[in-house]
Each structure stands twice: as structure tokens, then as C-alpha cells.
Amino acid sequence: MTGRDQPEEGNISIMSNKLARGMGSFFKPCECRRPSSCPHTTAKTPQGSTTSSRQAKAPSTRALAQPSLTITVPATANLGSASAGSTHSAQLGTITVTGSEVPQWDVTVTATALTTTGGTIATSNIAYWSGPATADTGNEACHPGQKTAAERVITLNAARTAFSHSGSTATESCSWNPTLVISVPTTAAAGQYTDTITHSVT
């Protein structure tokens, strides 16, 4: 049977914010009622009249960081062959999530049923376990959803947590190579089965 894992771009959020504040400059005739006690700086014009000025503050700007979050998955995966009534395990291939300025993210996994001409293996017969991180640039900030086979989720008939990250806003990535465990029914029709495994990051 074969399966394919199609990439999902995930929720990338990019935000760009700029703050700018400051004062411009302006000039206006002095309006003090007692010019002899005027506190403003005065300057003579060529015609002999006086004007007052106030010192302008230079404008300031501040740029905020731009958060980003990406996920890459294998386009397809060959899960090998199995016989009716057996339990079959196969790895999907490496999945990598990279985040920048994102202190917390989670990856969920879902699946469609395995199908072939005249036959279906339901998602209730498909189990998943992430395994440990195969690469972690975040100093142990990556957390597997199911580190061992004993912790594997029972079925993929609903969204399950595959991996998560927490504790840092630096640019960090987590990689893992998950395993599917397929319980093939005794009544399964012979043929080439396909399904879609979707990983989403938020």
C-alpha cells in the first residue's frame, strides 16, 4: 500500500508594525501680551520685524520584529506492502517546522481513509506516533507528541497533536520522522491503497 503526505503551509503570520512619533517644526509671530518679557527666542527679519521660534524635536521611529512560521513535509511516502489481517508500520519521512519570534507553536496531524478500487481502510485503523526530535535547534524546546511507540495515538479519526515548541522567540526549528501503524482488516481488498496525511502548524 502507499500513502502520500501533502505539504501544508500552515498559519504564517507576518506582522509588520512601525511606530513613529515626534514633533515637527513651526514658526509663528509672538503673541505675548508683554513683548518685553517674551520668553521666546526672537530673530530680526530683513524688514526689521521680529519672529519667534520654538526648537523642534527630531522624529523617532521603532521597527517591530516580524514573526514567521513555516512547515515542510514530504510530498509522497511509500508505505510498503502488507497482507490482510496484519499490522503494518512505516515511516512518513522528515517533517520540519521553523519559527522566528514565535515562542509557542503546535502541530496537529489528520488523515483520510486508505482507499483502493473496491476497498477502504478507515482512519480508525490508522495510528500515529511522532517519535523523538531528529533535529532540535532550540536547546530542547521541541516536544514530541508521542515519543515512543507505546505512546502512539490510537487513531487518526480526529486531529491529534504531533509536536510542539515552547520557551523561545529566537529562530529555531524542530524535525521528526513520524510512524504510521496500520491495522489491515481481514476483509481488506487487494490493491494499491492511498491516503493523505496532513500536518498543520499554528
Side-chain angles (χ1 to χ4, degrees):
M1 65 183 66
T2 61
R4 62 174 180 271
D5 196 330
Q6 296 183 345
E8 173 109 355
E9 293 180 357
N11 299 314
I12 304 168
S13 61
I14 297 178
M15 296 182 292
S16 176
N17 295 289
K18 292 184 178 179
L19 301 177
R21 57 170 175 253
M23 297 177 59
S25 59
F26 56 89
F27 296 90
K28 67 176 183 178
C30 179
E31 297 177 354
C32 293
R33 295 185 178 183
R34 299 178 61 188
S36 60
S37 302
C38 176
H40 305 126
T41 301
T42 60
K44 292 284 185 178
T45 66
Q47 291 76 24
S49 61
T50 61
T51 60
S52 66
S53 64
R54 294 179 180 177
Q55 185 176 7
K57 294 183 179 180
S60 61
T61 60
R62 184 176 62 188
L64 300 181
Q66 298 180 350
S68 65
L69 194 59
T70 61
I71 184 170
T72 58
V73 301
T76 60
N78 188 333
L79 304 181
S81 59
S83 57
S86 68
T87 299
H88 180 72
S89 297
Q91 289 186 298
L92 290 176
T94 300
I95 296 165
T96 300
V97 175
T98 301
S100 178
E101 297 296 330
V102 183
Q104 172 70 45
W105 54 254
D106 298 282
V107 174
T108 56
V109 57
T110 58
T112 62
L114 286 156
T115 59
T116 190
T117 302
T120 299
I121 298 177
T123 54
S124 57
N125 288 68
I126 305 173
Y128 175 103
W129 60 288
S130 63
T134 56
D136 180 352
T137 65
N139 192 24
E140 298 185 355
C142 302
H143 311 294
Q146 306 83 29
K147 190 173 183 179
T148 67
E151 298 172 352
R152 70 177 183 264
V153 294
I154 298 175
T155 65
L156 283 182
N157 59 349
R160 310 295 184 181
T161 299
F163 238 84
S164 62
H165 170 279
S166 62
S168 175
T169 58
T171 300
E172 297 177 350
S173 63
C174 303
S175 300
W176 68 100
N177 189 355
T179 300
L180 289 184
V181 181
I182 302 167
S183 299
V184 184
T186 56
T187 57
Q192 180 173 295
Y193 286 76
T194 61
D195 76 340
T196 300
I197 307 297
T198 302
H199 290 83
S200 305
V201 62
T202 56

